[in-house]
Amino acid sequence: MPLSKRQTLTQYLIEQRRRFPGASGELNALILDVSIACKAIARAVAFGALAESNGLDTSGLAGGAINVQGEQQKPLDVISNEMFMRQTEWSGHLAGMASEEMEQPYQIPADYPRGKYLLVFDPLDGSSNIDVNVSVGSIFSILRAPQAVVESGRAVTEADFLQPGTAQVAAGYALYGPVTMLVLTVGNGVVGFTLDPNLGEFKLTHPNIRVPADTQEFAINTSNSRFWEPPVKRYVDECLAGRTGPRGKDFNMRWIASMVAEAHRILMRGGVFMYPRDTKDAAKPGRLRLLYEANPIGFVMEQAGGRASTGRQPMLGVKPSTLHQRIGLVFGSKNEVERIERYHAEPHPASDFAPLFAERSLFRD
Ligand code: AHG
Ligand code: MN
Ligand code: MN
């Protein structure tokens, strides 16, 4: 088979690094290690129910255990988490990491050197889809470790990770669908790589991903509609009203229940995704997590010309308060996200809100 002229991930990263003559190459090395973890996860996921008969040992793993989110961990959640850690901890590029599957930050073992970056990840997003053979993915975000951590070499704490999305150095996701893809931003637009199964290499197939500003497609879990706040209800009602309603056009709806797969669809053809803050559970102001779901996807969206928001403020401006903080998330085509933000900003009858979620409440984003 002729070697294609498409760039590999390594070539792309080397070219990006040339923009910064002083760069050490550590970020590139870290991203390449993350990409290897993603390739390993892609293989593990692809074996499905045959995993054990193909040497993937799931015995003794926490299948059935409840993680820090109060959600059931699948064996593949645990395996994917391990793959991220084992592939990145040794390199000397990380001061620490944090993941959906670990309550506390992970300390780099003492026998490895420590570095200047923090890695935050959702090792397997959409894992409830694993048993039904629907696309899942991994999401990652790279931050700089605070100077004090780098200088002292001290253990990382939760506070070190509580940086706004604007502080991200790089972010992206891998999608394990009919093909495996890696979508990445290092702050210079968004690029997509397709895993060439013959070479085991990510090849640049989507060199300049842009989210169309307008769309006629939305994604939201409508089973939660009775808990939605009025601005969200208004937006969805107007979409559903279609051509004869205030929007004057018909809308289509999709819900995969893998946020990473929805994000990918939106990057490819536009759309708007909402998992808004709602009144379902006062302890959970939103379903998705700020540091390893909303922020990395938000960074990718903004770099692709889309927008990401809490509904009330730009996602990337939110100062995190805890490692596993949940938040209302709206992202996708710019004009739709801005419309949803306008609906939130417009005055609405206070009586429509449950008291805990009133405008000046504890749970305001
Ligand atoms: P995770 O598998 O990492 O816990 O995340 C699942 C998330 C997200 O991917 C998806 O959009 C959402 O949960 C699905 O929510 P519903 O179950 O309400 O559809
Ligand atoms: Mn997730
Ligand atoms: Mn997950």
Side-chain angles (χ1 to χ4, degrees):
M1 190 184 324
L3 263 182
S4 88
K5 289 205 175 71
R6 291 182 191 281
Q7 274 192 331
T8 62
L9 175 61
T10 312
Q11 287 170 329
Y12 172 79
L13 290 172
I14 288 171
E15 247 179 37
Q16 290 300 308
R17 185 181 149 203
R18 289 190 187 130
R19 295 188 300 128
F20 304 97
S24 64
E26 286 173 83
L27 178 66
N28 283 1
L30 175 57
I31 293 171
L32 286 171
D33 278 336
V34 167
S35 80
I36 294 171
C38 293
K39 284 192 245 186
I41 296 168
R43 294 305 298 151
V45 165
F47 278 105
L50 298 173
E52 276 181 57
S53 42
N54 281 279
L56 199 64
D57 183 12
T58 55
S59 60
L61 288 178
I66 304 296
N67 69 7
V68 59
Q69 318 291 332
E71 288 158 2
Q72 203 179 42
Q73 273 180 329
K74 305 241 172 205
L76 272 167
D77 284 321
V78 182
I79 290 173
S80 305
N81 195 53
E82 288 284 320
M83 285 172 166
F84 259 87
M85 291 193 297
R86 297 292 92 81
Q87 195 57 47
T88 57
E89 66 184 353
W90 61 276
S91 65
H93 306 313
L94 286 179
M97 32 185 142
S99 144
E100 179 186 329
E101 305 302 337
M102 299 184 286
E103 186 168 4
Q104 299 297 329
Y106 178 76
Q107 307 297 338
I108 301 302
D111 33 342
Y112 297 129
R114 293 195 186 172
K116 60 183 181 186
Y117 291 109
L118 299 174
L119 177 65
V120 189
F121 53 97
D122 176 354
L124 204 57
D125 177 65
S127 60
S128 70
N129 279 328
I130 274 287
D131 296 336
V132 292
N133 196 8
V134 167
S135 295
V136 291
S138 304
I139 308 171
F140 61 91
S141 164
I142 297 173
L143 298 162
R144 288 192 180 85
Q147 199 57 34
V149 173
V150 180
E151 278 166 10
S152 67
R154 69 155 165 80
V156 286
T157 63
E158 176 173 13
D160 298 327
F161 291 83
L162 304 182
Q163 305 181 31
T166 46
Q168 293 172 104
V169 179
Y173 62 84
L175 183 64
Y176 315 120
V179 296
T180 292
M181 287 191 66
L182 186 86
V183 172
L184 174 72
T185 181
V186 290
N188 185 30
V190 178
V191 287
F193 300 84
T194 300
L195 183 62
D196 180 333
N198 286 324
L199 296 176
E201 284 283 353
F202 281 111
K203 291 295 202 76
L204 184 61
T205 47
H206 298 68
N208 181 24
I209 299 177
R210 304 295 298 169
V211 179
D214 290 298
T215 185
Q216 292 180 225
E217 198 161 68
F218 69 98
I220 191 165
N221 183 344
T222 50
S223 72
N224 293 323
S225 62
R226 67 188 182 284
F227 305 114
W228 292 342
E229 293 178 337
V232 173
K233 203 165 166 27
R234 172 184 173 192
Y235 177 79
V236 174
D237 282 348
E238 290 181 1
C239 290
L240 295 177
R243 206 175 329 166
T244 55
R247 301 298 308 274
K249 57 183 186 177
D250 290 334
F251 279 76
N252 191 19
M253 201 211 79
R254 287 285 184 276
W255 187 252
I256 305 171
S258 284
M259 191 265 285
V260 64
E262 321 263 8
H264 190 69
R265 183 190 63 246
I266 288 170
L267 285 169
M268 294 296 107
R269 70 179 190 205
V272 62
F273 172 96
M274 288 164 277
Y275 217 123
R277 191 179 84 176
D278 62 27
T279 60
K280 192 173 186 176
D281 178 350
K284 293 180 183 170
R287 163 93 164 83
L288 298 172
R289 278 62 52 115
L290 174 58
L291 282 172
Y292 40 83
E293 291 177 320
N295 272 348
I297 296 297
F299 189 20
V300 168
M301 285 294 149
E302 303 250 329
Q303 283 289 317
R307 191 168 172 84
S309 171
T310 67
R312 291 167 170 77
Q313 69 174 109
M315 186 60 66
L316 301 186
V318 175
K319 173 86 178 82
S321 53
T322 60
L323 197 56
H324 298 287
Q325 176 179 355
R326 295 180 191 256
I327 199 154
L329 171 59
V330 177
F331 67 75
S333 293
K334 201 168 191 286
N335 291 340
E336 294 301 305
V337 176
E338 284 175 353
R339 174 183 289 271
I340 295 164
E341 289 176 314
R342 277 202 307 279
Y343 288 4
H344 279 85
E346 282 174 17
H348 34 250
S351 59
D352 284 347
F353 285 97
L356 277 177
F357 290 87
E359 282 298 270
R360 292 180 201 289
S361 82
L362 276 175
F363 293 103
R364 222 183 140 190
D365 295 331

